[in-house]
Amino acid sequence: MMTRGTRSLLNVLLRSAVLVGVIGVSPALAQTTNNAPAAAAAKTDAPVARPWMDTSLDPSVRADLILREMTLDEKLQLTFGYFSTDAAWLKTPTKNWEFPKDGLPGSAGIVPGIARLGIPSQWQTDAGVGVASQRSATPRLRTSLPSGILTAATWNPALAEAGGAMIGNEAFLSGFNVQLAGGMNLLREPRNGRNFEYGGEDPLLAGVMTGHAIKGIQSEHVVSTMKHYAFNGQETNRFTIDHRIGEQAARQSDLLAFQIANEIGQPGSVMCSYNRVNGHYACENDWLLNTVLKKDWGFKGYVMSDWGAAHSTTEAANAGLDQQSGWAFDRSPYFSEALREAVNNGHVSTARADDMARRVLWGMFSVGAFDTPVRGDRATTIDYAAHAAVTRSDAEEGIVLLKNDANLLPLAKTAKSILLIGAHADVGVLSGGGSSQVYSPNAPTSGLIVPDEFNKGFPGPKTYHASSPMTALQARTGARVTYLDGKDPRAAAAAARKADIVIVFGEQWTGESIDVPDLALPDAQNALIDAVARANRKTVVVLETGGPVVMPWLSKVGAVIEAWYPGTAGGEAIARILTGEVNPSGRLPATFPASLSQLPRPVLEGDPKLDRDAHPMGNYDIEGAAIGYKWFDKTGRKPLFPFGYGLSYTRFALGGLKADAKGKGIAATFAVRNTGSVAGKTVAQVYVAAPGWEAPKRLGAFKKVDLAPGASQSVATMIDPRLLATFDTATATWTIAEGDYQVMLADSAVSIAQTVTVHLPAQTLDSRGK
């Protein structure tokens, strides 16, 4: 349930939207100098009636109405998109590339509209946590949400939706109506450089949280993608690696996450990924696109390729790809003249060409992109103060307290000196790198408050948001707060001995296109933390990481906070948690392993030295659907920190669990009580278990609860029948076996408070779980 505070923030956000204006869409792009498509041929220059502008009609009906008026060239124009940045940035084999007419500088791209029919251009922005900018001398400055994995750590769907609405609003007011958001690949590989963009390791949690984020974005008349479909679990050899996985395991893991997000968010578009799946590229994979997505799930929107993920014309179109995006990252403009020829000679049917255009139009109609159009860059209307409150609330609920010996936190008001060490905590907080990079609205025009320490091009620059933990702490404590960069461990240890409390900020910068070599903090930070902790037991470690890390110094420090990448108000959020102004309530959305040896793949698959045409293999059948906590349950291995784990400054009691069969699922009720002395939030988790599954138990439901001291609340949850079933690949159905099912009320994947048994009859559900 949305809290009063969250509802207020969302209302402020929605009131701030300026949804006005009528667009005059430019004609199609003129032919560029090499292999670009010609302008669409119009039937006539005379005005045409536009019955498709009747907003009372269903988007499918509206799409069919406009489709009847379109020439073949106009239909195909909707299937081809251009990259929209300067040629100096572009480093591909493509020659004679030109900046597209009407494209927004530094953006992801444009698909030209058709003025004759009132079809808006599709102005696309990279996204995930906000309106991203391609690297340039003067990047677009916008509000950044915390990383996706932090939002997942809130376990609060209302916050995810409010955050989505916020970044969708900024996209709309910046002239964009397509946002390349909705990242949700499951965390199979903790070293994956893009884990920070995604929703953790569990299909229910990732699907629910990402689905609500998509729903929020699209409430602002902006199409959101859902990506990267599918099994894009690492960056090493991401263009060519072939992930092999059986269908049952696939349906019960990554695909279930996408399916849940699709049902909640109803995305206008799905972005197919770079990698191969079971021998076929994801963007020309008939099973993934036609069978699973469009047939079994009934997806009505369009499939766009990732930038550089298209590999063919006829094969891709017939396999379900509806739009080639981001030319000129691909080797050829496959959906330009080649697609027109393929349709004309019958290799791609006219019915399929109609379907491709119809799906694009449906996606635009479904979010109101025709009815409330964007125009240009109107950033002066963005309410940055209101948006800062949204992103800060997100960060505060997703920061996870991992350790707190002797109640070291919240910081004692009697402390007279606090020493901060490392990670530029004097000026800002870290963000993840790559195409999702957002630059702070309060940063210099370059977007950088710290000189680029990566300095190797993409996925840099390594960027910090201008939200200083040091400044925020100085405003909240009576202590003298000082800072050291930590480059000299001996000097840091000497200074630590003189301080009442030491806070070491440990960072792990990750980004698109690169995976981390291991789970250790880089650049000798573990040695620094060890030296400081030996000098002062009252050492707090604040981790700014893209995912799980190991902590060889854990026993020596007094407290540990996982702050992830906390966004453009992250410094304030960290300070409010440290001082107790906010009670931490984040819970881990991913298991933290104790070592690489505990993983299904201790050595990362794929040789990073292979060229683009290589065909490395990835074996996801090792763990199948037993990802994360399920793998640890199955193998009996003890993690450093389990899935669902997190501490608070107060205490909670769970009990009174009752569960009964209801419909085709299970209804579970229970009570949560705050037994401590301060207000706080907790996440009650319900797991289910039955014989013959991929692992001993699955997450079945969860609820975030906000309670005053001594207060209690009754909670009712419903367990989706697909989480009680196995997928039958022969019949494409979900089957629930007759028998006894264990329903467990828990504080984490390893902390079970109560268990009850429910007997279920044998049942069969269709591919959509109905």
Side-chain angles (χ1 to χ4, degrees):
M1 180 177 295
M2 186 179 290
T3 65
R4 181 179 299 176
T6 302
R7 188 184 300 114
S8 175
L9 288 175
L10 184 55
N11 288 339
V12 168
L13 169 63
L14 295 176
R15 287 197 302 271
S16 72
V18 181
L19 308 178
V20 295
V22 178
I23 191 167
V25 182
S26 299
L29 298 178
Q31 184 170 337
T32 54
T33 54
N34 183 45
N35 292 328
K43 288 181 177 180
T44 174
D45 291 332
V48 295
R50 295 179 177 178
W52 53 84
M53 294 305 295
D54 182 350
T55 58
S56 69
L57 299 176
D58 183 85
S60 297
V61 175
R62 298 177 72 180
D64 282 337
L65 286 171
I66 195 170
L67 201 64
R68 294 172 191 168
E69 296 294 327
M70 298 178 72
T71 67
L72 175 61
D73 281 353
E74 287 171 336
K75 295 170 185 175
L76 296 182
Q77 181 171 313
L78 301 181
T79 71
F80 188 83
Y82 299 80
F83 187 46
S84 186
T85 193
D86 57 87
W89 190 96
L90 194 67
K91 296 179 180 179
T92 74
T94 306
K95 297 179 180 179
N96 300 322
W97 181 86
E98 293 182 1
F99 185 83
K101 184 176 182 292
D102 294 334
L104 293 179
S107 70
I110 183 175
V111 179
I114 300 169
R116 184 180 75 88
L117 301 172
I119 300 176
S121 294
Q122 297 162 60
W123 284 284
Q124 303 161 325
T125 175
D126 274 308
V129 295
V131 180
S133 295
Q134 302 298 333
R135 188 176 186 181
S136 66
T138 55
R140 190 176 288 105
L141 306 181
R142 297 292 183 268
T143 306
S144 175
L145 287 170
S147 56
I149 197 169
L150 183 151
T151 298
T154 70
W155 295 60
N156 187 339
L159 273 181
E161 190 165 330
M166 183 272 283
I167 66 172
N169 176 253
E170 290 203 4
F172 181 88
L173 296 177
S174 301
F176 297 106
N177 55 12
V178 179
Q179 197 155 27
L180 311 181
M184 56 175 304
N185 296 95
L186 293 189
L187 198 154
R188 288 178 176 270
E189 173 50 69
R191 291 161 291 195
N192 180 7
R194 297 188 83 172
N195 281 334
F196 73 93
E197 297 185 44
Y198 303 145
E201 69 191 24
D202 181 79
L204 176 64
L205 179 62
V208 168
M209 297 299 291
T210 309
H212 278 278
I214 291 169
K215 187 177 180 180
I217 290 170
Q218 296 196 154
S219 71
E220 293 293 319
H221 312 294
V222 175
V223 171
S224 175
T225 65
M226 181 172 67
K227 67 182 186 183
H228 304 89
Y229 186 75
F231 304 99
N232 188 182
Q234 65 181 63
E235 293 299 281
T236 301
N237 293 122
R238 63 176 178 161
F239 293 108
T240 55
I241 195 164
D242 184 3
H243 290 301
R244 299 299 175 109
I245 186 169
E247 181 174 2
Q248 184 184 76
R251 295 271 196 164
Q252 294 174 191
S253 58
D254 301 66
L255 295 183
L256 180 57
F258 277 99
Q259 186 175 10
I260 292 170
N262 176 58
E263 292 164 357
I264 294 171
Q266 297 287 296
S269 181
V270 165
M271 180 189 290
C272 49
S273 55
Y274 291 123
N275 54 284
R276 295 178 173 96
V277 179
N278 294 330
H280 300 277
Y281 281 111
C283 289
E284 51 188 40
N285 193 307
D286 179 75
W287 172 68
L288 275 180
L289 305 184
N290 284 333
T291 300
V292 177
L293 180 65
K294 296 181 177 179
K295 174 178 171 289
D296 292 347
W297 299 351
F299 176 67
K300 295 181 180 180
Y302 62 105
V303 177
M304 70 163 68
S305 62
D306 202 344
W307 274 228
H311 296 275
S312 64
T313 301
T314 300
E315 184 175 357
N318 290 333
L321 181 64
D322 300 305
Q323 185 181 87
Q324 180 187 5
S325 307
W327 168 253
F329 278 89
D330 299 305
R331 288 185 168 180
S332 180
Y334 299 109
F335 278 19
S336 178
E337 298 298 333
L339 179 59
R340 183 177 291 101
E341 180 181 351
V343 174
N344 286 334
N345 65 26
H347 292 304
V348 175
S349 69
T350 55
R352 173 65 184 126
D354 284 354
D355 180 58
M356 295 164 77
R358 180 185 294 108
R359 289 178 173 277
V360 175
L361 292 166
W362 182 92
M364 299 176 74
F365 277 125
S366 71
V367 302
F370 276 73
D371 313 312
T372 312
V374 295
R375 183 174 184 176
D377 189 324
R378 298 186 287 159
T380 55
T381 63
I382 293 175
D383 188 343
Y384 288 111
H387 293 185
V390 173
T391 188
R392 194 193 72 198
S393 293
D394 192 344
E396 288 168 356
E397 285 204 27
I399 292 173
V400 184
L401 178 61
L402 296 175
K403 181 179 180 180
N404 193 23
D405 282 359
N407 295 320
L408 179 56
L409 294 176
L411 295 173
K413 293 182 180 180
T414 56
K416 295 182 179 180
S417 61
I418 301 174
L419 173 63
L420 275 56
I421 300 175
H424 300 289
D426 57 331
V427 294
V429 290
L430 188 61
S431 70
S435 61
S436 66
Q437 181 65 64
V438 178
Y439 297 89
S440 300
N442 52 347
T445 56
S446 68
L448 301 181
I449 61 171
V450 175
D452 181 14
E453 295 171 331
F454 183 62
N455 204 28
K456 298 177 184 177
F458 192 84
K462 183 180 179 183
T463 302
Y464 295 80
H465 292 307
S467 179
S468 165
M470 180 178 176
T471 300
L473 282 171
Q474 287 171 333
R476 286 171 171 79
T477 70
R480 183 172 62 92
V481 183
T482 56
Y483 172 78
L484 285 177
D485 61 21
K487 293 180 180 180
D488 183 343
R490 290 185 179 181
R497 293 187 187 97
K498 301 175 184 177
D500 290 338
I501 295 174
V502 183
I503 306 175
V504 182
F505 286 75
E507 65 173 24
Q508 174 210 47
W509 183 70
T510 62
E512 181 181 355
S513 80
I514 54 175
D515 294 321
V516 295
D518 52 44
L519 299 182
L521 294 175
D523 303 323
Q525 290 179 88
N526 284 335
L528 168 66
I529 295 171
D530 187 272
V532 170
R534 288 178 185 274
N536 190 330
R537 290 290 295 180
K538 291 186 177 181
T539 293
V540 179
V541 177
V542 176
L543 295 170
E544 297 176 20
T545 73
V549 292
V550 295
M551 306 175 198
W553 34 260
L554 183 60
S555 64
K556 300 183 180 71
V557 302
V560 180
I561 282 179
E562 175 57 79
W564 316 101
Y565 302 146
T568 51
E572 287 279 322
I574 290 170
R576 282 160 59 88
I577 293 286
L578 289 172
T579 59
E581 191 173 337
V582 172
N583 193 344
S585 63
R587 299 293 184 266
L588 292 181
T591 305
F592 276 44
S595 68
L596 289 175
S597 64
Q598 293 183 325
L599 303 179
R601 284 166 293 279
V603 177
L604 189 67
E605 292 178 325
D607 183 350
K609 298 177 183 177
L610 293 173
D611 64 31
R612 183 171 178 173
D613 294 313
H615 197 156
M617 304 292 289
N619 184 7
Y620 280 172
D621 279 323
I622 295 173
E623 75 274 34
I627 302 171
Y629 69 93
K630 297 177 184 179
W631 173 260
F632 281 79
D633 279 355
K634 180 179 180 179
T635 60
R637 300 173 185 184
K638 183 180 179 180
L640 184 65
F641 291 106
F643 175 81
Y645 175 84
L647 302 176
S648 171
Y649 296 152
T650 190
R651 298 179 303 279
F652 297 93
L654 305 174
L657 176 64
K658 295 180 181 179
D660 298 286
K662 184 175 181 180
K664 295 182 178 180
I666 292 177
T669 60
F670 51 88
V672 184
R673 185 166 179 250
N674 183 343
T675 62
S677 59
V678 295
K681 299 176 184 178
T682 190
V683 179
Q685 302 158 44
V686 178
Y687 294 85
V688 287
W693 287 355
E694 73 279 2
K697 64 179 180 288
R698 300 168 176 167
L699 180 68
F702 61 90
K703 180 69 175 180
K704 194 151 198 180
V705 182
D706 187 0
L707 294 172
S712 63
Q713 181 176 325
S714 296
V715 177
T717 60
M718 189 71 194
I719 299 172
D720 189 308
R722 288 170 294 192
L723 298 170
L724 304 167
T726 56
F727 191 84
D728 187 323
T729 60
T731 60
T733 58
W734 294 91
T735 60
I736 299 176
E738 180 182 4
D740 290 339
Y741 290 73
Q742 304 301 307
V743 180
M744 295 165 278
L745 180 61
D747 192 51
S748 76
V750 301
S751 180
I752 309 301
Q754 190 177 357
T755 301
V756 298
T757 301
V758 177
H759 187 85
L760 295 179
Q763 300 178 74
T764 300
L765 305 90
D766 64 21
S767 60
R768 301 184 197 185
K770 306 299 183 183

